Amino acid sequence: MLRTAPRSPPLRVPCSRGRDILEDTMTQKILLVEDDPATADFIAGGLAEEGYTVDRATNGRDGLFLGTDAAYACIVLDRMLPGLDGMAVLAALRGAGVHTPVIILSALGGAEDRIAGLTGGSDDYLTKPFAFAELLARICLLIRRNQPAPVQQTVLSCGDLEMDLLARRVRRAGQTIELQPREFRLLEFLLRHADQVVTRTMLLEGVWDYHFDPGTNVIDVHVSRLRKKIDEGFDRPLLHTVRGAGYRIGADK
């Protein structure tokens, strides 16, 4: 079993420009495996300024030991390291089932070197000397690619009203309600903003794709038709007009 010296405390600096590139970078932890102190300080300092937490290793064995921690969002790995070279570290990580994105950082910039790095299991390869802005952009891209796709909500509801987006079906109290395509979009928009006041401008942009007011009563007509279909014949209304503000779907207040 590999043993290393105690880990140095991670750098922690409040987020700054990094939030413009990737949201909530304070939750992102980067492992930097680099034996050159000046280069390591430069990279770690820049990443910390961008809001990342940075753990550092100065040799391949420490890098491999720390790299098995699944908490890392990305690993920046120097290729020429003491103890265990970067390619051996990468092979061991991939062999152990570690799928953390890895960027190889190396002075070896020939085509064969880059090909060996990429085919050896790295996700990116950046040659030295490099611009920190480019390294940061590549890290952000790899982290973004590795994030699980957000789960899309397929059923919207409000009280006893339910909309199935996949089946394109609307029911209230178990009774199917037939809607025209525009009415369906209108109801979907309202349900996504349930219990919130939705303005005419929001509806024009979100349902009709208008970025100007056409000066017609198109919204009033469609809201009136939708209200008849989802409210008439049921115990309590769900679609409400908020005078001077817009519309709201939800329990009466």
Side-chain angles (χ1 to χ4, degrees), residues 16-42:
S16 56
R17 289 176 296 132
R19 286 196 181 278
D20 296 330
I21 300 174
L22 187 67
E23 294 181 357
D24 199 17
T25 55
M26 286 300 289
T27 65
Q28 305 292 349
K29 192 159 79 167
I30 307 294
L31 173 60
L32 172 61
V33 188
E34 170 63 62
D35 65 317
D36 180 66
T39 302
D41 288 345
F42 172 69

Side-chain angles (χ1 to χ4, degrees), residues 160-164 167-180 183-184 187 226 228-234:
D160 58 355
L161 178 68
E162 183 179 277
M163 168 179 277
D164 188 325
R168 305 289 294 181
R169 181 177 60 220
V170 175
R171 290 178 176 175
R172 181 164 185 189
Q175 178 179 330
T176 299
I177 299 173
E178 299 294 337
L179 298 179
Q180 296 298 317
E183 294 167 345
F184 192 93
L187 180 59
L226 180 61
K228 288 181 180 180
K229 292 185 177 183
I230 68 172
D231 280 346
E232 285 190 0
F234 295 96

Side-chain angles (χ1 to χ4, degrees), residues 200-244:
R200 293 176 61 86
T201 299
M202 292 170 65
L203 291 175
L204 285 171
E205 293 183 349
V207 180
W208 277 268
D209 296 322
Y210 289 164
H211 297 283
F212 62 94
D213 191 338
T216 68
N217 65 343
V218 60
I219 292 178
D220 304 304
V221 171
H222 279 82
V223 168
S224 177
R225 290 175 179 172
L226 180 61
R227 179 181 281 119
K228 288 181 180 180
K229 292 185 177 183
I230 68 172
D231 280 346
E232 285 190 0
F234 295 96
D235 294 338
R236 57 191 178 89
L238 290 177
L239 182 50
H240 310 280
T241 299
V242 182
R243 291 189 179 276

Side-chain angles (χ1 to χ4, degrees), residues 129-144:
F130 60 91
F132 176 76
E134 181 179 0
L135 174 62
L136 177 64
R138 291 178 184 233
I139 289 173
C140 291
L141 179 60
L142 287 181
I143 292 176
R144 191 180 302 117

Side-chain angles (χ1 to χ4, degrees), residues 17-226:
R17 289 176 296 132
R19 286 196 181 278
D20 296 330
I21 300 174
L22 187 67
E23 294 181 357
D24 199 17
T25 55
M26 286 300 289
T27 65
Q28 305 292 349
K29 192 159 79 167
I30 307 294
L31 173 60
L32 172 61
V33 188
E34 170 63 62
D35 65 317
D36 180 66
T39 302
D41 288 345
F42 172 69
I43 296 173
L47 290 175
E49 288 178 0
E50 295 297 332
Y52 293 95
T53 295
V54 183
D55 283 359
R56 295 166 60 167
T58 60
N59 60 71
R61 291 186 178 275
D62 287 356
L64 176 57
F65 184 82
L66 298 178
T68 57
D69 186 345
Y72 291 111
C74 185
I75 298 173
V76 179
L77 177 65
D78 186 21
R79 182 164 175 174
M80 293 182 287
L81 293 166
L84 200 64
D85 69 71
M87 293 302 297
V89 172
L90 180 60
L93 289 173
R94 296 307 188 224
V98 176
H99 301 295
T100 305
V102 173
I103 298 178
I104 288 183
L105 203 58
S106 177
L108 301 175
E112 292 183 357
D113 298 311
R114 297 195 302 272
I115 291 171
L118 293 170
T119 57
S122 74
D123 299 271
D124 203 349
Y125 195 107
L126 184 61
T127 58
K128 300 177 181 178
F130 60 91
F132 176 76
E134 181 179 0
L135 174 62
L136 177 64
R138 291 178 184 233
I139 289 173
C140 291
L141 179 60
L142 287 181
I143 292 176
R144 191 180 302 117
R145 284 178 177 174
N146 203 49
Q147 288 178 332
V151 177
Q152 296 294 326
Q153 190 175 5
T154 60
V155 176
L156 305 174
S157 63
C158 178
D160 58 355
L161 178 68
E162 183 179 277
M163 168 179 277
D164 188 325
L165 298 175
L166 295 181
R168 305 289 294 181
R169 181 177 60 220
V170 175
R171 290 178 176 175
R172 181 164 185 189
Q175 178 179 330
T176 299
I177 299 173
E178 299 294 337
L179 298 179
Q180 296 298 317
R182 187 72 69 178
E183 294 167 345
F184 192 93
R185 286 188 63 184
L186 175 58
L187 180 59
E188 178 184 352
F189 190 89
L190 290 167
L191 287 174
R192 289 189 183 278
H193 298 81
D195 293 317
Q196 302 174 23
V197 176
V198 175
T199 66
R200 293 176 61 86
T201 299
M202 292 170 65
L203 291 175
L204 285 171
E205 293 183 349
V207 180
W208 277 268
D209 296 322
Y210 289 164
H211 297 283
F212 62 94
D213 191 338
T216 68
N217 65 343
V218 60
I219 292 178
D220 304 304
V221 171
H222 279 82
V223 168
S224 177
R225 290 175 179 172
L226 180 61

